């Protein structure tokens, strides 16, 4: 430290000594020794310090002199603010610490300043003191920016984000610029706390007055907005390009992951290929994001093709790449391909993790290959893995789902040999297994034993039991159990929604509505999911008035309807032959910015087909395609059925060709509509031809499909009999069951 600096700090020291002895300090954090429950103003605290600390000996001044002369950190490190405040009073201790901070700040020791500031913030926070006053207390405006920087960083690490923003604005006002690194830290914390507006405002302040946003700043924004608004995220990427900021591989991988999470996997893959063409380096994480995106959408073949392209690019897939694919194929039910990926993984010299093995075990269980799953499970130890609770849980759940409760119980008993204790997931699987196999009494008995075993049933366990009661028609028992579990705080909206959903499926919408009201009475406020479920129940029973009342109630309570809500309302009006109201509700959904999906478009299209307004139905179909939505077999079938009923068989056949060209396979309902259309037109040859096509394409394979066909025939007993004769003839020729 120079002589000039020593002289400067000597004057400061004298000023502080005088201020402390006269108690004329204007410091806003001069507080009482004893913590107080409420934050106090500067003048109140100052007045209390006059009466409580005037006779105290200010013994920290010798320490300040020692630090001033030698910058002795060891002497300072031994003094803790909490103990100093207890002995000398917080006012004097804080004054002393402030001077010491000034000394180390001027000496260029930011880590020491940070350490001291952290003590002050911690003490003030734990004692409910006004931390917003610390910027003034620490002389951040007068001294070195080092104290401002330290205070800013400590507030961020202490999750005092509003305090950090306050420091940023005060520093900006006096011309101090905080480091871009710490500003990025605050931005990231605001993103993690989902403080969208604050985050956007803070970024704007950075952009306008510094520090200038860098690549990492934009990466944080991309990571956040990819989850919220993929269009805005793309805009930030373009801004980077305009400003000449070169995105890193982390930036690109974050963007690709965000695109996939938002469902834009095809666009993400195209973007990745463009990066390759530009010779921009991409890593495994980029490819893994695409592979995971395709797996989530059920496009496993596309995901596998990305793996092949990844290898061609020269990137070696890692354990995560293969694990994603194994898990994807298992969840889709294609265990053979999952096993093939597993073998390929081993051939590439990549050692699977327990996560990979668990996915494959789950796949075997899901497909019903329980013997293979058990053998696989038994081999885990020989492959060097410790059998854990997760593996047991997957296997036991598999046996429960396939009705082998005895084997599941034996595995539960076996767990004790490995010092493993079954958890709530395993017991919930057993409870569910008993309910599914009609052994409700055993399920209830096990459920009641759980607290004895030290297991607290969760909302899912309760839901299974309640659903079991409802399935057996024991609604009173279900309600009593729900009341008991409600009093214990165990059930939640998920449980109520499960019961309401069950009652709606059984076309007991009035009973479901009673449960809905009971839910609200018990203080569990229905959300958009519960409202949508009940509206869907009323829709199935063509009770559009009740459905619309619920919709108006949602608006009254400020609950925003979603796509499912509107789709169910549209269906309710259509089922009640109110096509104009259905159209009005569809238009309202679009007007409010809620995106219609394939199901909602299909619902309104089917409504216009039902009233034979094929012009309007076709317009909606074309509009649907323009928005990028891909019609499914149900959409096509609705239109084909509408054309057939309108005696426009040429249009129906043309649409069937388009459907096949787009790789959408007709089902038994599609062919039934065509067959009925030909019969209605008196074209028995045409009807027989499409019966033949249906059999050739293996659409009608068994008795279940025959029952479905019977159910869908709505054209009269005579036509039913004609189709029967045709099919019986075709089935006999194919040696298929009649």
């Amino acid at each position: 430290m120079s002589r000039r600096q020593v002289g400067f700090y000597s004057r400061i020291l004298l000023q502080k000594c005088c201020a402390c002895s006269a108690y004329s300090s204007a410091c806003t954090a001069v507080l009482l020794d004893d913590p107080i429950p409420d934050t106090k103003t500067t003048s109140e605290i100052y007045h209390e310090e006059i009466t409580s600390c005037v006779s105290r000996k200010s013994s920290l001044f010798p320490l300040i002199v020692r630090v001033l002369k030698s910058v002795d950190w060891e002497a300072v490190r031994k003094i803790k603010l909490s103990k100093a405040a207890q002995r000398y009073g917080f006012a004097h201790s804080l004054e002393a610490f402030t001077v010491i901070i000034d000394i180390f700040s001027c000496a260029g020791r930011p880590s020491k300043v940070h350490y001291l500031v952290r003590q002050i913030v911690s003490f003030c926070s734990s004692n409910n003191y006004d931390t917003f006053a610390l910027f003034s207390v620490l002389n951040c405006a007068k001294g070195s920016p080092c104290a401002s920087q330290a205070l800013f960083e400590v507030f961020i690490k202490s999750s005092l984000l509003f305090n950090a923003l306050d420091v940023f604005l005060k520093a900006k006002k006096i011309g101090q610029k905080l480091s871009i690194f710490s500003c990025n830290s605050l931005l990231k914390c605001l993103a993690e706390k989902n403080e969208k507006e604050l985050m956007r405002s803070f970024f704007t302040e950075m952009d306008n007055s510094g520090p200038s946003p860098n690549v990492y700043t934009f990466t944080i924004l991309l990571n956040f907005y990819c989850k919220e608004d993929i269009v805005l995220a793309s805009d930030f990427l373009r801004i980077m390009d305009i400003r000449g900021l070169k995105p890193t591989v982390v930036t690109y991988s974050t963007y690709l992951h965000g695109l996939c999470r938002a469902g834009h996997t095809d666009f993400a893959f195209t973007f990745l290929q463009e990066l390759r063409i530009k010779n921009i380096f991409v890593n495994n994480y980029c490819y893994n994001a695409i592979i995971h995106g395709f797996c989530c959408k059920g496009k496993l073949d596309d995901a596998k093709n990305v793996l092949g392209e990844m290898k061609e690019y020269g990137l070696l897939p890692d354990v995560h790449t293969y694990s994603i694919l194994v898990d994807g194929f298992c969840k889709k039910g294609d265990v053979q391909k999952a096993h093939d990926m597993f073998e390929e993984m081993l051939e590439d010299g990549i050692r699977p993790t327990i996560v990979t093995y668990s996915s494959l075990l789950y796949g075997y269980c899901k497909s019903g290959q329980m013997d293979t799953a058990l053998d696989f499970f038994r081999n885990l130890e020989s492959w060097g893995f410790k059998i854990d609770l997760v593996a047991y849980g997957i296997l036991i759940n598999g046996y429960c789902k396939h009705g082998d409760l005895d084997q599941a119980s034996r595995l539960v008993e076996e767990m004790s040999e490995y010092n493993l204790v079954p958890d709530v997931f395993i017991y919930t699987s057993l409870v569910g297994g008993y309910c599914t196999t009609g052994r409700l009494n055993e399920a209830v008995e096990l459920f009641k034993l759980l607290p004895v075993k030290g297991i607290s049933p969760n909302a899912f366990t309760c839901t299974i039991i309640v659903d079991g009661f409802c399935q057996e028609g024991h609604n009173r028992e279900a309600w009593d159990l729900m009341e008991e579990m409600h009093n214990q705080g165990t059930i939640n909206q998920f449980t109520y929604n499960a019961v309401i959903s069950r009652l709606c499926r059984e076309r007991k919408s009035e009973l479901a509505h009673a449960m809905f009201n009971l839910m609200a009475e018990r203080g569990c406020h229905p959300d958009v999911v519960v409202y949508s479920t009940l509206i869907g129940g009323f829709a199935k029973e063509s009770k559009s008035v009740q459905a619309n009342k619920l919709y108006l109630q949602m608006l009254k309570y400020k609950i925003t309807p979603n796509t499912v809500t509107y789709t169910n309302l549209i269906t309710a009006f259509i089922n009640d032959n109110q096509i104009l109201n259905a159209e009005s509700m569809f238009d309202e959904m679009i007007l409010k910015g809620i995106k219609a999906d394939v199901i909602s478009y299909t619902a309104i299209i089917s409504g216009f087909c039902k009233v034979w307004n094929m012009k309007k139905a076709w317009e909606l179909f074309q509009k649907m395609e323009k928005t990028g939505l891909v019609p499914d077999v149900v959409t096509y079938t609705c239109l084909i059925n509408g054309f057939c009923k309108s005696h426009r068989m040429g249009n129906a056949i043309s649409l069937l060709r388009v459907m096949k060209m787009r790789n959408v396979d007709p089902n038994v309902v599609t062919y039934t509509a065509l067959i009925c259309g030909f019969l209605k037109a008196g074209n028995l040859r045409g009807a027989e031809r499409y019966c033949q096509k249906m059999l050739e394409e293996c659409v009608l394979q068994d008795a279940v499909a025959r029952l479905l066909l019977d159910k869908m025939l709505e054209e009269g007993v005579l036509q039913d009999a004609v189709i029967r004769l045709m099919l019986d003839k075709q089935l006999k020729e194919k040696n298929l069951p009649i």
Side-chain angles (χ1 to χ4, degrees), residues 586-607:
F586 182 82
D587 292 340
E588 182 181 317
M589 175 175 67
I590 302 299
L591 191 64
K592 286 186 176 180
I594 298 171
K595 292 181 180 179
D597 58 11
V598 173
I599 299 172
S600 49
Y601 264 107
T602 301
I604 191 67
I605 286 169
S606 85

Side-chain angles (χ1 to χ4, degrees), residues 15-16 19-20 22-32 40-50 81 90-99 101-102 120 124 129-140 142:
Q15 289 171 4
K16 288 187 178 289
C20 189
Y23 297 96
S24 58
S25 173
C27 178
T28 56
V30 178
L31 307 172
L32 286 171
K40 298 196 175 186
T41 64
T42 304
S43 58
E44 288 173 333
I45 295 164
Y46 173 65
H47 176 73
E48 290 176 0
E49 279 293 339
I50 291 176
L81 179 61
F90 181 51
H92 170 64
S93 300
L94 184 59
E95 290 284 352
F97 266 65
T98 302
V99 176
I101 286 170
D102 287 345
I120 294 172
C124 290
Y129 291 154
D130 184 10
T131 50
F132 283 95
L134 288 178
F135 186 86
S136 300
V137 171
L138 299 179
N139 286 327
C140 295
K142 297 176 182 177

